[in-house]
Amino acid sequence: MVAIHDLYRAAGKPSIRRISDAIRDDHHQRDAISHETISKILNGRIVGKWSKVECLVRGLVRQAVAPLDEDAEVRRCHGLWLAASDVGAPGAALPRTPPSETRRAGQPVAAPELAQPAASPSDQMSGGTFPPRNPEFVGRTAALEILDRTPVTTSPVAVVGRGGVGKTQLAIEHVYRHLDDYDLVWWVPAEHPASTRAYLVALGEHLRLPDRTGVDQKIRAVLDVLEDGRQRWLLVYDNATSVDIVRPYMPSRGGRIIVTSRKAEWGESAPAVVSLTGFERADSLSFVRAGAADITEAEAEALATRVDDLPLALRHVVAMHTATGTPISEYLRLFDRHLDELLTQGASIPDRASALISTRATFEALSASPGEAAAVATQLLALFGFLGPEPVSQALLRSGRDGNVSAPLGRALREQASIELALRELSRFGLAAVNWERRTVQVHRLVQSWVREAMDERLRREGRVNVHEILTAPRPGNPDAVHSWALRSLIAPQVIPADLVGRFAPASHAARETALDQARYLFAIGDYGSSRELAQLMRSTWSRPPSSGGLGEDHEHTLKACRHLSNALRMLGDYRDCRELNEQVLTRLLESPRYGEKHDLTIAVAFSVGFDLRLAGDFKTAHERDVENLRRARSYFGDRHRRTLTARNNVAASLRMLGDYAAALEIDRALVDDWQGVDPGFGQPVLWTLGSLAQDQYGLGHYAEALATIDDKMLPVARKTLGERHRHVLLARRTRASCLRKLRRLVEALTVVRGAYDDARDQLGPDHEHTLALAMSLALTLCSSGQRAGVDEAAHLAVEAASRYRIQFGPHHPLVLAAEVNHAAILRAQGRAGWARRMDEATHNGLCAVLGDRHPYAICAANNLAVALAADGRPEMALPFALNAFELSCEVSGAQHPNTQVIAGNLALARDVGEDRELQARAGHALAHAVSFSKRSQWTEVDIEPPPM
């Protein structure tokens, strides 16, 4: 199963359906394999028949990001299958690995087949949780005792010290000594927030948590699981740069946390702080003599003294001595010479001197070695100076083999054996840690620092160029496409270290394009925070004038960076800054002779501006913009282009928000067929438009038709292709529940809407627009039951939803006011008539101010204010509001609309108790000539369930 999972990760962890479909469509495969069988094999529940396993192996190899030898993998897996099948008959359940055996292998208990050290969340970290044990570890007895005796608390234990003293190695050793104490150990590189988030998302995958839309939601789910106390766990946050950066990603209880950091600021945030310095002298001598027995005690003593007992420097010197036979006396001479040079150059950080000098001496020894492998190794080290500090996959290096990489490294990238020889040289000289099992390479941060600061300028420049070539050559494809994500996950940690943005030196067009694609990739996987950070960096760097090293504000890359930034801001709830940025960019595009109104980027940004205006609650201006965008799209793309169809979708959305459901319905009906012509097979645009069509029908009061659209046309396909928790499906479930409630199928409606609300809260988070809409729909359904417990729960939900709406959109947004209209009705059902009346007065005035009194929301508010006045003991004051609501509802929604019918009943009650004869006469005339309705003895509210914006 380990081999199968290796191939599964190498293929980018495709969905079970994608694997099965690919095998089925490959006519060269000897068999087919069902979704269920693939799932059982991957989960280790069965061995499976060899014909099935072979199909799976070949299918995964053909989808691998890096090229693999298919026949060799088949032979390897066949041998492993034969060994596994000895346990029992083919297809039998696999025995679970005993915990003791798992731990002896250095793997976590929870999933032995996945527990390997890793370099990247998508490729190596899906199950790997900590690096391999250091066989050269010595000493640190006192530090280990502090870690051992510190009790488990909600605060982390901090291991602090300067670079190269062995903080990470101490944490690794502690992990391996205490594997029996934990059910789960997870290693989190914490130098950058993006890597911290990525590795916690990988932990969620390891725990097989349900998928969520955004990275923040995925991390919250992971923290919730860890905090529930069901597992004994240990998290190690390695090389954390700041307490404030890491703290939000730590569980508050339930397990143990260790942090390694070069910063001393952890003292106030940790119950125990282990301050590491260099080795004890006896440990230095043991380390040196263990690594090179021919070194005399006197030489070891002199060496330890000269490098201040720094473990990294000792390792370099021992490796160099072992590899080349260089006498220790010669190293000491080089050390003194290089130290004088550092002092002459004004070295600003004396405590780095030992590491920098040992790196330089070791590199010089490597450079002097004969053969091409050493030459390739020197170029590799120069390259690694501009990569991130975490392990780097060899697959990433080889994916750039078609780039214009300088010789001989360029040739070596095309030959696996040549690269391996060069990596062995780097490992032999102690300049890199190579994990041959996982095919990863890691270079210490201090070695990277020497490369960037002190390596020969020609080699350094060549290394930076080679990194750019390797990262830009693969061209994974559309960053929105799932199949591109496996390779992009390897590129993501390297974008900033490799300076693809060009902060410190000009970046090529290809480098900037790669950076832009990575910002979109981060957005696509739901890591909006990292997408914003990268986009902001690109914008600030590129917007500078060319004379200052930038591209200028009008450069296409600068404008694209702004677009990525605005998208991330929107998803993070920063609607105002998003809207202002898009407005600025659109103005610049329209005024620029390089772009103009028909440029593709102009049209794309204009679409975003329309959406931003809807989010801001300015529905009228949004509609005007959307109509203008449709005109542009038609003139540039024609009637049947995707952009034009999307523009029509946007116009329909704005019409719905304006309450013109009939006009929106006309557009959406035609769009369903038009989208089918462009995207056959009921793709997402078709399903979204079907959901919109049902919302139009609901807005028109055609509840049975809307329910049929959802049940017969939209949901069956959407559930199958998108899943139950996709936002399109969640919104369709809400529409379905609303229709069921209006049709008085309350029990069924409550089941549907509660399930959808729970899924949305879990998937999208409590503050998302769709979650809040479902919360209010659930509250209305509970209130409709008439039971006290249901009404009380509805009131609680309404308070929370209205409050979150207000925080997200501001107090005067139509969605906020609509939520408060519903909230007032629920308060009235609780018997709090006075409070409800005051809220109805405020919401009626507010909706009339922002939408006008003819908008359906304002009409509903007028009706509910009439109900409030009657419930507050002043029915005579209700008549003008009821009459106004009825007359406008007849004009706007039609006399047969269910809301108009409800308002008519209230108007009849107001007419019967009012004292204003003129108004009573008008009311009687209106009722007689406009509609026939059923008289009631009870005043009735009209609720508002806005469609999504």
Side-chain angles (χ1 to χ4, degrees):
M1 292 305 105
V2 174
I4 295 293
H5 271 279
D6 283 342
L7 295 175
Y8 180 56
R9 284 191 292 273
K13 300 196 306 183
S15 69
I16 303 298
R17 177 175 298 280
R18 181 179 165 198
I19 298 171
S20 177
D21 290 347
I23 293 172
R24 182 198 62 209
D25 295 337
D26 187 348
H27 300 300
H28 297 289
Q29 290 278 34
R30 58 182 291 194
D31 202 345
I33 183 168
S34 68
H35 303 49
E36 182 180 8
T37 301
I38 293 174
S39 178
K40 287 179 178 179
I41 292 175
L42 288 175
N43 290 329
R45 292 166 58 192
I46 64 170
V47 176
K49 295 192 301 182
W50 171 244
S51 63
K52 304 288 186 183
V53 174
E54 181 183 0
C55 288
L56 178 57
V57 170
R58 292 187 184 278
L60 292 173
V61 167
R62 292 170 188 177
Q63 296 183 56
V65 174
L68 296 173
D69 186 328
E70 182 175 328
D71 291 333
E73 292 296 331
V74 169
R75 287 193 298 271
R76 181 172 73 97
C77 291
H78 187 233
L80 295 171
W81 176 85
L82 289 172
S85 297
D86 287 342
V87 175
L94 285 174
R96 294 194 175 274
T97 306
S100 59
E101 293 183 22
T102 300
R103 289 189 286 273
R104 280 199 299 272
Q107 300 172 339
V109 176
E113 75 277 14
L114 293 176
Q116 299 292 341
S120 147
S122 65
D123 186 24
Q124 286 81 18
M125 269 302 288
S126 60
T129 60
F130 43 89
R133 195 170 194 171
N134 180 6
E136 300 173 349
F137 186 89
V138 297
R140 304 301 194 189
T141 303
L144 287 168
E145 287 179 355
I146 294 175
L147 291 179
D148 291 345
R149 68 172 181 258
T150 303
V152 175
T153 69
T154 57
S155 298
V157 178
V159 180
V160 300
R162 61 190 171 116
V165 298
K167 302 180 295 297
T168 297
Q169 297 305 318
L170 177 70
I172 293 171
E173 182 64 18
H174 174 81
V175 164
Y176 278 92
R177 292 188 182 194
H178 293 275
L179 282 176
D180 287 337
D181 298 339
Y182 302 106
D183 301 314
L184 172 70
V185 177
W186 204 258
W187 195 272
V188 182
E191 187 164 5
H192 302 291
S195 64
T196 304
R197 290 193 288 263
Y199 279 73
L200 289 174
V201 168
L203 176 54
E205 296 174 1
H206 173 75
L207 295 172
R208 296 184 174 90
L209 300 182
D211 193 20
R212 271 85 175 172
T213 294
V215 164
D216 288 343
Q217 295 309 312
K218 294 176 181 179
I219 292 174
R220 182 67 260 170
V222 168
L223 299 183
D224 287 344
V225 168
L226 296 180
E227 289 171 354
D228 68 15
R230 297 180 188 179
Q231 296 189 79
R232 300 171 301 163
W233 52 261
L234 168 65
L235 299 184
V236 181
Y237 291 81
D238 188 35
N239 201 43
T241 54
S242 165
V243 177
D244 295 335
I245 288 176
V246 177
R247 177 68 70 186
Y249 304 113
M250 291 183 177
S252 61
R253 59 189 174 89
R256 184 176 179 84
I257 299 172
I258 295 175
V259 175
T260 73
S261 178
R262 286 169 288 176
K263 305 292 185 181
E265 62 182 1
W266 288 89
E268 299 179 356
S269 305
V273 177
V274 180
S275 297
L276 282 190
T277 56
F279 276 144
E280 296 291 332
R281 180 54 54 86
D283 294 333
S284 291
L285 300 181
S286 296
F287 179 85
V288 172
R289 296 298 302 280
D294 62 325
I295 296 178
T296 68
E297 186 168 344
E299 288 175 329
E301 181 80 34
L303 173 62
T305 300
R306 200 64 56 88
V307 301
D308 196 25
D309 295 290
L310 186 70
L312 180 65
L314 290 170
R315 177 170 175 264
H316 283 164
V317 177
V318 170
M320 180 181 68
H321 173 79
T322 302
T324 66
T326 302
I328 295 302
S329 59
E330 175 63 15
Y331 171 78
L332 296 177
R333 187 185 67 79
L334 289 172
F335 185 96
D336 290 339
R337 191 186 82 195
H338 294 328
L339 179 59
D340 289 341
E341 292 175 2
L342 277 177
L343 294 174
T344 301
Q345 295 166 5
S348 58
I349 309 177
D351 65 5
R352 295 167 58 205
S354 297
L356 295 177
I357 293 172
S358 65
T359 300
R360 176 172 177 174
T362 309
F363 178 75
E364 288 177 351
L366 170 66
S367 302
S369 299
E372 186 169 291
V376 173
T378 61
Q379 288 185 313
L380 271 177
L381 189 66
L383 178 151
F384 270 94
F386 299 95
L387 291 174
E390 301 307 326
V392 176
S393 171
Q394 291 184 43
L396 176 61
L397 298 178
R398 297 203 66 229
S399 70
R401 59 189 175 276
D402 293 330
N404 188 23
V405 178
S406 58
L409 177 57
R411 292 193 301 270
L413 289 175
R414 300 181 183 93
E415 301 172 2
Q416 181 66 34
S418 297
I419 279 292
E420 289 184 358
L421 285 174
L423 291 175
R424 289 185 191 280
E425 287 293 282
L426 285 178
S427 178
R428 191 163 68 96
F429 280 85
L431 293 170
V434 182
N435 188 318
W436 297 106
E437 183 179 1
R438 280 290 160 188
R439 297 184 179 181
T440 63
V441 189
Q442 185 174 20
V443 174
H444 195 280
R445 293 169 181 83
L446 286 178
V447 177
Q448 291 181 311
S449 176
W450 176 82
V451 171
R452 292 191 298 270
E453 298 172 14
M455 181 179 264
D456 174 79
E457 183 179 351
R458 180 190 63 79
L459 272 175
R460 187 166 66 245
R461 185 170 58 249
E462 182 181 75
R464 183 177 184 273
V465 172
N466 284 341
V467 165
H468 283 208
E469 288 293 329
I470 286 173
L471 295 179
T472 59
R475 305 187 186 283
N478 184 349
D480 287 331
V482 176
H483 66 76
S484 76
W485 292 357
L487 180 53
R488 290 198 179 280
S489 71
L490 302 181
I491 297 173
Q494 314 304 337
V495 172
I496 292 177
D499 195 26
L500 295 184
V501 176
R503 287 180 297 167
F504 307 114
S508 66
H509 182 278
R512 297 194 301 269
E513 286 284 344
T514 299
L516 287 166
D517 283 349
Q518 287 301 116
R520 181 63 192 183
Y521 154 74
L522 292 167
F523 181 91
I525 65 172
D527 191 354
Y528 308 121
S530 296
S531 181
R532 175 188 59 189
E533 291 161 11
L534 178 55
Q536 181 63 64
L537 178 63
M538 292 187 294
R539 182 198 182 195
S540 61
T541 302
W542 298 342
S543 61
R544 299 196 303 261
S547 59
S548 301
L551 302 174
E553 293 186 340
D554 287 337
H555 194 281
E556 185 175 3
H557 284 168
T558 306
L559 296 172
K560 286 182 176 179
C562 290
R563 184 165 181 240
H564 289 313
L565 176 58
S566 68
N567 287 337
L569 289 171
R570 185 187 300 114
M571 296 306 295
L572 291 168
D574 196 346
Y575 301 128
R576 185 178 65 180
D577 285 353
C578 168
R579 184 174 69 255
E580 290 177 356
L581 179 58
N582 275 331
E583 291 278 10
Q584 292 171 11
V585 172
L586 181 60
T587 299
R588 191 173 295 277
L589 287 165
L590 289 171
E591 293 178 352
S592 170
R594 296 173 55 191
Y595 303 101
E597 69 169 17
K598 293 186 178 181
H599 193 278
D600 189 41
L601 183 58
T602 306
I603 294 173
V605 174
F607 285 4
S608 296
V609 169
F611 182 47
D612 293 336
L613 288 165
R614 286 199 295 277
L615 284 172
D618 190 353
F619 301 151
K620 183 175 182 295
T621 307
H623 176 248
E624 293 170 356
R625 290 292 186 91
D626 287 331
V627 170
E628 179 63 15
N629 293 339
L630 176 57
R631 181 194 63 77
R632 286 196 191 104
R634 275 184 168 142
S635 66
Y636 187 47
F637 298 110
D639 285 337
R640 293 294 182 265
H641 192 275
R642 284 178 173 272
R643 289 278 196 199
T644 306
L645 299 184
T646 300
R648 289 165 63 192
N649 274 122
N650 293 342
V651 172
S654 288
L655 288 168
R656 271 192 300 278
M657 301 314 296
L658 288 171
D660 194 347
Y661 300 106
L665 179 69
E666 183 179 353
I667 293 174
D668 285 329
R669 274 182 173 156
L671 268 173
V672 170
D673 294 333
D674 291 344
W675 270 121
Q676 276 279 46
V678 173
D679 192 13
F682 281 83
Q684 286 197 39
V686 179
L687 296 172
W688 173 257
T689 306
L690 281 170
S692 299
L693 178 63
Q695 291 155 11
D696 301 333
Q697 292 166 331
Y698 178 85
L700 289 169
H702 304 157
Y703 306 132
E705 290 182 25
L707 183 61
T709 299
I710 291 294
D711 281 351
D712 298 342
K713 297 179 181 179
M714 196 272 186
L715 268 182
V717 179
R719 280 178 163 142
K720 183 178 179 180
T721 59
L722 303 178
E724 189 73 4
R725 294 151 67 94
H726 190 280
R727 65 187 184 95
H728 294 353
V729 178
L730 291 171
L731 290 172
R733 291 163 67 187
R734 177 193 177 223
T735 303
R736 183 169 188 266
S738 300
C739 294
L740 291 169
R741 179 171 66 88
K742 292 294 187 180
L743 295 170
R744 305 304 297 169
R745 294 162 60 178
L746 295 180
V747 174
E748 190 176 356
L750 183 58
T751 300
V752 172
V753 72
R754 192 184 290 280
Y757 169 68
D758 290 342
D759 284 348
R761 189 178 178 89
D762 193 38
Q763 176 82 350
L764 305 174
D767 296 315
H768 195 280
E769 172 205 350
H770 301 340
T771 305
L772 298 177
L774 275 160
M776 192 54 69
S777 294
L778 175 57
L780 291 171
T781 307
L782 287 164
C783 191
S784 297
S785 69
Q787 299 178 0
R788 182 67 191 187
V791 173
D792 289 343
E793 184 183 354
H796 174 76
L797 280 166
V799 168
E800 181 181 3
S803 175
R804 291 181 184 274
Y805 263 130
R806 199 174 299 111
I807 292 170
Q808 288 289 92
F809 297 106
H812 307 299
H813 195 283
L815 290 187
V816 177
L817 297 170
E820 290 176 344
V821 168
N822 297 330
H823 184 197
I826 295 169
L827 288 175
R828 201 157 28 252
Q830 279 190 308
R832 301 165 68 182
W835 186 266
R837 177 186 56 76
R838 289 190 292 274
M839 188 175 288
D840 279 320
E841 289 172 346
T843 54
H844 176 252
N845 292 335
L847 285 168
C848 288
V850 298
L851 296 179
D853 62 355
R854 294 177 58 82
H855 193 282
Y857 298 176
I859 295 171
C860 290
N863 171 78
N864 289 9
L865 179 54
V867 175
L869 291 167
D872 203 30
R874 290 182 283 178
E876 70 284 352
M877 298 180 64
L879 179 56
F881 294 103
L883 178 58
N884 181 56
F886 177 72
E887 290 175 340
L888 289 175
S889 188
C890 287
E891 294 177 23
V892 172
S893 301
Q896 300 304 317
H897 194 286
N899 286 355
T900 308
Q901 297 280 311
V902 170
I903 297 169
N906 293 333
L907 179 58
L909 293 174
R911 182 191 59 179
D912 292 342
V913 298
E915 297 180 359
D916 188 321
R917 301 305 179 193
E918 182 179 348
L919 280 178
Q920 286 179 327
R922 278 182 56 199
H925 180 78
L927 289 171
H929 290 84
V931 68
S932 59
F933 61 95
S934 300
K935 288 190 175 182
R936 300 185 312 274
S937 59
Q938 183 178 348
W939 294 79
T940 305
E941 294 98 343
V942 177
D943 56 66
I944 305 173
E945 291 193 89
M949 291 184 289

